[in-house]
Amino acid sequence: MVLETVNYRDNPCYQPVLSDYFYPVPEKELDNHLVFAGGLDWYPNTDAMSYFANEIWPILKKQVPNVVMNVVGKNPSNELLTLAKQDSNFRVHGFVD
C-alpha cells in the first residue's frame, strides 16, 4: 500500500492506494477505429448517423480502407443494420449496459 498525496482546497491530504491490487494494464491501441455512442431513437442522432453512413462513410472507406466504425446505441435504424450486414467494418452494437 502507498499513501498518495492529493491536494484538496490547497491542503495536502493523504489517501491509501492499494498499488499491488490496482495497477495500469497495457492497452492495445486500435488504429482507425471510430465510435458513435448515443440513443438511436432520438431524431438528431438518427439523422446524423444516416448522413454519416450515406455521405461520409463511403469517402472515408476510400481514403482509409481499414477504418472501423462502431455504432453504440439502442434502437438502431434498419438502414444502419443493413449497412452493418454489408460491410464488416461498420459495426452496430445496439444497446450496451
Side-chain angles (χ1 to χ4, degrees):
M1 181 167 56
V2 176
L3 287 179
E4 183 178 276
T5 305
V6 177
N7 285 322
Y8 177 72
R9 296 185 180 169
D10 297 325
N11 296 314
C13 299
Y14 302 96
Q15 65 183 23
V17 177
L18 301 173
S19 56
D20 20 333
Y21 184 78
F22 296 105
Y23 54 90
V25 177
E27 294 183 27
K28 179 183 173 190
E29 288 189 24
L30 299 175
D31 292 334
N32 302 325
H33 279 242
L34 304 171
V35 175
F36 171 87
L40 293 165
D41 53 357
W42 190 49
Y43 178 75
N45 289 346
T46 302
D47 186 46
M49 284 311 302
S50 178
Y51 180 81
F52 179 87
N54 292 307
E55 303 296 328
I56 307 297
W57 184 246
I59 297 168
L60 193 56
K61 287 282 292 186
K62 286 180 184 173
Q63 293 182 7
V64 186
N66 64 339
V67 67
V68 174
M69 179 65 196
N70 293 284
V71 181
V72 180
K74 66 178 183 172
N75 299 324
S77 68
N78 287 333
E79 175 185 27
L80 295 178
L81 294 171
T82 300
L83 179 56
K85 288 178 185 174
Q86 296 170 351
D87 184 345
S88 63
N89 284 2
F90 195 94
R91 302 172 185 168
V92 178
H93 301 280
F95 177 78
V96 295
D97 194 13

